């Protein structure tokens, strides 16, 4: 799950315990790594389970089961009133899709976004899965989203600025084709809250924004549309879709900034 605007972020800060960009203690970082691992393992289980005929509600139930079986709590359930543990966004849905009776079918491009909390510390990750044979260009679009995420992660280093991450994401997408880069939703700081400062846009100039320091944690999450970048929100008040009806993909990892290479808390395997 991602933040909508800076105003939302500020609101969270006002209601939460902390303001500004936080540097986590080593104990907090340990719990973030645990929350990240559980988030990643649960997404892997969901990617295994997804198949034609399964309902999005069944996938949500599996997500909650897997998270709780590992001793964590679903981060999204009840967050600002969100009714489920899993955001599941199919085809032209970009983010924040609500699980329900919909059945997954062959050819769907399914984004799954998930968070887990361990002792008050968060993990947040998203992956997009192709169900069987998908439409023309969808595999390349997915590869673009994944590559953009890892281009951003490569810049998530002490001494760099938020803009360096944003710019790397944008350039990787532009290099791979004419896609729509979603601008109204961004990545974010993460730690004792799901959404903390700073916001991490998926576009913009390098060399600007907050400096990254060891012990900070951020969620980087490019959203890449096959068509234009314009978005709309459905009547359910949550589901964000592409205005032109084209497919969107979404990838996200939670990252800890270190003195050296970034730690990807939500990555499993590889
Ligand atoms: Mg997320
Ligand atoms: Mg997020």
């Amino acid at each position: 799950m991602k933040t909508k605007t800076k105003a939302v972020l500020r609101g969270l800060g006002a209601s939460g315990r902390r303001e500004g960009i936080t540097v986590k203690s080593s104990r907090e970082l340990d719990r973030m790594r645990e929350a990240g691992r559980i988030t990643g393992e649960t997404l892997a289980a969901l990617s295994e389970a997804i198949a034609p005929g399964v309902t999005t509600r069944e996938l949500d139930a599996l997500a909650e089961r897997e998270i709780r079986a590992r001793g964590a709590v679903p981060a999204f359930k009840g967050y600002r009133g969100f009714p489920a543990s899993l955001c599941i966004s199919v085809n032209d849905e970009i983010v924040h899709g609500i699980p329900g009776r919909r059945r997954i079918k062959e050819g769907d491009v399914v984004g799954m976004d998930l968070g887990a909390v361990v002792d008050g510390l968060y993990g947040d990750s998203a992956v997009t899965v192709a169900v069987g044979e998908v439409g023309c260009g969808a595999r390349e679009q997915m590869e673009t989203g994944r590559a953009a995420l890892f281009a951003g992660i490569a810049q998530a280093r002490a001494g760099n600025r938020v803009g360096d991450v944003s710019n790397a994401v944008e350039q990787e997408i532009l290099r791979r084709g004419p896609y729509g880069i979603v601008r109204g939703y961004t990545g974010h700081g993460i730690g004792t809250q799901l959404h903390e400062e700073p916001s991490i846009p998926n576009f913009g100039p390098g060399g600007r924004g907050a400096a990254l320091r060891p012990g900070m944690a951020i969620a980087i999450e490019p959203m890449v549309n096959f068509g234009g970048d314009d978005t709309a929100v459905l009547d359910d008040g949550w589901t964000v879709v592409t205005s032109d009806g084209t497919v969107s993909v979404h990838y996200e990892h939670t990252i800890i900034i270190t003195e050296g290479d970034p730690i990807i808390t939500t990555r499993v395997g590889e």
Side-chain angles (χ1 to χ4, degrees), residues 127-247:
V127 66
T128 297
V129 176
V131 182
E133 284 294 310
V134 290
C136 184
R139 296 272 177 187
E140 289 81 0
Q141 184 186 357
M142 291 169 63
E143 187 49 39
T144 296
R146 195 177 304 120
L149 169 59
F150 280 92
I153 291 171
Q155 296 302 315
R157 305 182 74 88
N160 280 356
R161 294 181 178 274
V162 167
D164 297 317
V165 174
S166 299
N167 188 253
V169 170
E170 180 180 32
Q171 293 307 318
E172 187 64 32
I173 296 167
L174 293 177
R175 201 168 69 75
R176 288 167 177 261
Y179 292 106
I181 303 172
V182 174
R183 289 163 187 271
Y185 300 84
T186 69
H188 49 90
I190 180 169
T192 57
Q193 299 174 66
L194 179 59
H195 295 136
E196 299 184 355
E197 291 189 45
S199 63
I200 314 282
N202 293 307
F203 64 96
R208 306 250 184 101
L212 300 175
R213 297 203 172 81
M216 289 179 178
I218 57 175
I220 303 172
E221 47 181 315
M223 289 146 267
V224 181
N225 300 346
F226 197 77
D229 61 15
D230 202 30
T231 67
V233 178
L234 298 185
D235 287 343
D236 63 22
W238 279 102
T239 311
V240 182
V241 297
T242 58
S243 294
D244 60 11
T246 59
V247 167

Side-chain angles (χ1 to χ4, degrees), residues 3 23 33 49 57 68-69 76-77 92 95 147 152-154 165 170 182 188 197-198 210 214 216 237 251:
T3 58
V23 170
R33 292 178 76 150
R57 181 174 288 149
R68 292 194 189 280
F76 296 174
K77 200 167 195 180
D92 64 323
V95 287
I153 291 171
V165 174
E170 180 180 32
V182 174
H188 49 90
E197 291 189 45
M216 289 179 178
Y251 293 86

Side-chain angles (χ1 to χ4, degrees), residues 5-76:
T5 64
K6 213 156 190 175
V8 171
L9 267 177
R10 290 260 152 70
L12 272 176
S15 62
R17 286 166 292 164
R18 293 180 182 184
E19 297 275 2
I21 305 174
T22 58
V23 170
K24 283 78 182 172
S25 69
S26 62
R27 277 199 60 211
E28 287 177 320
L29 292 175
D30 285 346
R31 285 181 281 163
M32 285 198 75
R33 292 178 76 150
E34 177 76 359
R37 180 183 62 77
I38 291 167
T39 301
E41 287 177 359
T42 301
L43 272 181
L46 288 165
S47 299
E48 286 286 313
I50 195 164
V54 67
T55 68
T56 55
R57 181 174 288 149
E58 287 164 348
L59 292 168
D60 177 59
L62 174 64
E64 180 162 3
R65 235 177 12 249
E66 294 285 330
I67 290 170
R68 292 194 189 280
R70 290 167 172 78
V73 174
F76 296 174

